[in-house]
Amino acid sequence: MEQKHPKFVKEMEEKGFIYTQVLGDESDHSSPVGRSWKEVFMTDDKTIAEERAAKLGMKLEWMEGAVKVIIGPKPGFRYDEVKKHKIWFNGVVGRFEDKLNNDPANAVVFSDGKPLPSDVSDDCAKIFDEECVALQWRKGDVLLLDNLAVVHSRRPLITLPRRVLASFCK
Protein backbone atom coordinates (compact mmCIF):
# COMPACT_ATOMS: atom_id res chain seq x y z
CA MET A 1 0.00 0.00 0.00
CA GLU A 2 2.83 2.36 0.82
CA GLN A 3 4.36 1.79 -2.62
CA LYS A 4 1.08 1.93 -4.53
CA HIS A 5 -0.72 4.68 -2.55
CA PRO A 6 1.86 6.71 -0.60
CA LYS A 7 -0.39 9.79 -0.28
CA PHE A 8 -3.20 7.69 1.21
CA VAL A 9 -0.86 5.93 3.66
CA LYS A 10 0.58 9.28 4.77
CA GLU A 11 -2.92 10.74 5.28
CA MET A 12 -3.97 7.58 7.12
CA GLU A 13 -0.97 7.86 9.41
CA GLU A 14 -1.59 11.54 10.12
CA LYS A 15 -5.37 11.41 10.63
CA GLY A 16 -6.41 7.92 11.61
CA PHE A 17 -9.95 6.64 11.13
CA ILE A 18 -13.45 6.74 12.51
CA TYR A 19 -15.48 3.53 12.23
CA THR A 20 -19.28 3.40 12.21
CA GLN A 21 -21.53 0.37 12.47
CA VAL A 22 -25.24 -0.03 13.11
CA LEU A 23 -26.27 -2.81 15.50
CA GLY A 24 -29.88 -3.91 15.76
CA ASP A 25 -31.91 -4.69 18.85
CA GLU A 26 -31.88 -8.37 17.87
CA SER A 27 -29.05 -10.52 16.50
CA ASP A 28 -29.17 -11.41 12.81
CA HIS A 29 -26.70 -14.20 12.15
CA SER A 30 -27.42 -14.07 8.39
CA SER A 31 -25.65 -10.69 8.43
CA PRO A 32 -21.87 -10.19 8.31
CA VAL A 33 -22.34 -7.84 11.27
CA GLY A 34 -24.59 -10.33 13.04
CA ARG A 35 -24.62 -9.47 16.72
CA SER A 36 -27.12 -7.14 18.35
CA TRP A 37 -26.06 -4.26 20.58
CA LYS A 38 -27.42 -6.28 23.51
CA GLU A 39 -25.08 -9.15 22.66
CA VAL A 40 -22.10 -6.88 21.97
CA PHE A 41 -22.44 -4.94 25.23
CA MET A 42 -23.82 -7.90 27.22
CA THR A 43 -26.85 -5.99 28.53
CA ASP A 44 -30.32 -4.90 27.47
CA ASP A 45 -29.99 -1.67 29.46
CA LYS A 46 -29.10 1.29 27.19
CA THR A 47 -27.44 3.22 30.03
CA ILE A 48 -25.14 0.30 30.85
CA ALA A 49 -24.42 -0.16 27.13
CA GLU A 50 -23.42 3.52 26.89
CA GLU A 51 -21.13 3.19 29.93
CA ARG A 52 -19.45 0.09 28.51
CA ALA A 53 -19.12 1.70 25.08
CA ALA A 54 -17.54 4.83 26.59
CA LYS A 55 -14.93 2.71 28.42
CA LEU A 56 -14.00 1.25 25.03
CA GLY A 57 -13.78 4.66 23.36
CA MET A 58 -17.10 4.30 21.54
CA LYS A 59 -20.04 6.66 21.24
CA LEU A 60 -23.60 5.37 20.81
CA GLU A 61 -26.36 7.14 18.88
CA TRP A 62 -29.74 5.48 19.46
CA MET A 63 -32.05 4.91 16.51
CA GLU A 64 -35.42 3.21 16.03
CA GLY A 65 -34.69 -0.49 16.70
CA ALA A 66 -30.92 -0.07 16.54
CA VAL A 67 -27.88 1.89 17.65
CA LYS A 68 -25.13 3.55 15.62
CA VAL A 69 -21.74 2.72 17.15
CA ILE A 70 -19.02 5.28 16.45
CA ILE A 71 -15.45 4.27 17.21
CA GLY A 72 -12.50 6.59 17.02
CA PRO A 73 -10.59 8.33 15.97
CA LYS A 74 -8.22 5.36 15.93
CA PRO A 75 -4.75 5.22 14.39
CA GLY A 76 -4.25 3.43 11.07
CA PHE A 77 -1.07 1.78 12.31
CA ARG A 78 0.26 0.29 15.47
CA TYR A 79 3.91 0.09 16.36
CA ASP A 80 5.34 -3.29 17.36
CA GLU A 81 7.86 -2.57 20.12
CA VAL A 82 9.33 -6.08 19.90
CA LYS A 83 9.87 -6.15 16.13
CA LYS A 84 10.46 -2.39 15.91
CA HIS A 85 8.23 -1.66 12.95
CA LYS A 86 4.83 -0.27 11.96
CA ILE A 87 1.93 -2.69 11.65
CA TRP A 88 -1.02 -2.25 9.33
CA PHE A 89 -3.80 -2.32 11.91
CA ASN A 90 -7.07 -0.89 10.67
CA GLY A 91 -10.39 -1.73 9.08
CA VAL A 92 -9.95 -0.15 5.66
CA VAL A 93 -11.30 -3.30 3.98
CA GLY A 94 -13.70 -4.29 6.76
CA ARG A 95 -16.77 -2.56 5.38
CA PHE A 96 -19.82 -4.81 5.47
CA GLU A 97 -23.24 -4.18 4.02
CA ASP A 98 -26.47 -5.55 5.43
CA LYS A 99 -30.00 -4.24 6.03
CA LEU A 100 -28.85 -1.90 8.84
CA ASN A 101 -25.42 -1.00 7.45
CA ASN A 102 -26.54 0.01 3.98
CA ASP A 103 -23.77 2.48 3.16
CA PRO A 104 -20.42 0.73 3.54
CA ALA A 105 -18.59 3.77 2.12
CA ASN A 106 -19.31 5.56 5.41
CA ALA A 107 -18.31 2.65 7.65
CA VAL A 108 -14.68 3.82 7.65
CA VAL A 109 -13.71 7.46 7.12
CA PHE A 110 -10.70 9.60 7.96
CA SER A 111 -10.92 11.19 11.41
CA ASP A 112 -11.86 14.50 9.77
CA GLY A 113 -14.92 12.85 8.18
CA LYS A 114 -13.42 12.71 4.69
CA PRO A 115 -14.38 9.48 2.90
CA LEU A 116 -11.73 7.00 1.83
CA PRO A 117 -11.04 6.83 -1.90
CA SER A 118 -12.87 3.71 -3.12
CA ASP A 119 -10.05 2.70 -5.47
CA VAL A 120 -7.61 2.67 -2.56
CA SER A 121 -9.71 0.41 -0.35
CA ASP A 122 -10.39 -1.85 -3.35
CA ASP A 123 -6.63 -2.07 -4.00
CA CYS A 124 -6.07 -2.87 -0.33
CA ALA A 125 -8.60 -5.72 -0.55
CA LYS A 126 -6.79 -7.05 -3.64
CA ILE A 127 -3.45 -6.94 -1.82
CA PHE A 128 -5.01 -8.84 1.10
CA ASP A 129 -6.25 -11.49 -1.35
CA GLU A 130 -2.83 -11.73 -3.03
CA GLU A 131 -1.09 -12.17 0.34
CA CYS A 132 -3.67 -14.60 1.67
CA VAL A 133 -2.55 -18.01 2.90
CA ALA A 134 -5.33 -20.61 2.86
CA LEU A 135 -5.06 -23.46 5.34
CA GLN A 136 -6.44 -26.96 4.83
CA TRP A 137 -8.26 -27.58 8.09
CA ARG A 138 -8.60 -31.05 9.60
CA LYS A 139 -10.54 -32.19 12.62
CA GLY A 140 -8.68 -31.30 15.81
CA ASP A 141 -6.61 -28.51 14.26
CA VAL A 142 -5.88 -25.47 16.40
CA LEU A 143 -4.67 -22.14 15.08
CA LEU A 144 -3.16 -19.44 17.24
CA LEU A 145 -2.24 -16.21 15.51
CA ASP A 146 -0.95 -12.80 16.39
CA ASN A 147 -3.44 -10.46 14.73
CA LEU A 148 -0.88 -7.66 14.93
CA ALA A 149 1.44 -9.70 12.69
CA VAL A 150 -1.15 -11.43 10.50
CA VAL A 151 -4.54 -10.00 9.60
CA HIS A 152 -7.29 -12.52 10.30
CA SER A 153 -9.46 -14.01 7.59
CA ARG A 154 -12.24 -12.25 5.76
CA ARG A 155 -13.43 -15.47 4.14
CA PRO A 156 -16.25 -17.66 5.42
CA LEU A 157 -15.63 -21.18 6.65
CA ILE A 158 -17.46 -23.62 4.40
CA THR A 159 -17.06 -26.81 6.42
CA LEU A 160 -18.75 -26.91 9.81
CA PRO A 161 -18.59 -27.47 12.73
CA ARG A 162 -15.97 -25.18 14.10
CA ARG A 163 -15.37 -23.57 17.44
CA VAL A 164 -13.75 -20.15 17.54
CA LEU A 165 -12.24 -18.87 20.75
CA ALA A 166 -10.93 -15.34 20.42
CA SER A 167 -9.11 -12.96 22.66
CA PHE A 168 -8.04 -9.44 21.83
CA CYS A 169 -5.18 -8.24 23.98
CA LYS A 170 -3.20 -5.04 23.84
Side-chain angles (χ1 to χ4, degrees), residues 73-97:
K74 295 284 186 186
F77 291 97
R78 294 244 177 129
Y79 188 78
D80 186 326
E81 293 292 340
V82 174
K83 296 176 184 162
K84 304 292 184 206
H85 67 88
K86 287 188 300 187
I87 298 168
W88 184 269
F89 194 80
N90 60 61
V92 169
V93 297
R95 301 180 295 172
F96 300 108
E97 185 172 353

Side-chain angles (χ1 to χ4, degrees), residues 110-146:
F110 286 111
S111 65
D112 62 2
K114 178 180 161 191
L116 307 185
S118 62
D119 64 319
V120 172
S121 50
D122 290 346
D123 278 350
C124 186
K126 287 176 190 171
I127 291 169
F128 274 30
D129 284 341
E130 290 167 5
E131 297 294 322
C132 178
V133 175
L135 302 173
Q136 182 62 46
W137 287 90
R138 289 176 292 214
K139 186 174 182 170
D141 282 353
V142 174
L143 174 66
L144 175 67
L145 64 88
D146 178 351

Side-chain angles (χ1 to χ4, degrees), residues 12-55:
M12 177 177 86
E13 206 165 358
E14 290 172 355
K15 295 180 181 179
F17 298 115
I18 294 176
Y19 302 93
T20 304
Q21 186 176 61
V22 179
L23 303 175
D25 285 342
E26 302 300 324
S27 294
D28 177 3
H29 296 291
S30 68
S31 159
V33 178
R35 299 188 309 157
S36 70
W37 66 266
K38 296 172 186 178
E39 192 175 345
V40 168
F41 297 109
M42 296 181 287
T43 183
D44 60 358
D45 183 311
K46 291 180 178 182
T47 303
I48 293 171
E50 288 174 354
E51 289 168 1
R52 290 179 178 166
K55 286 180 183 175

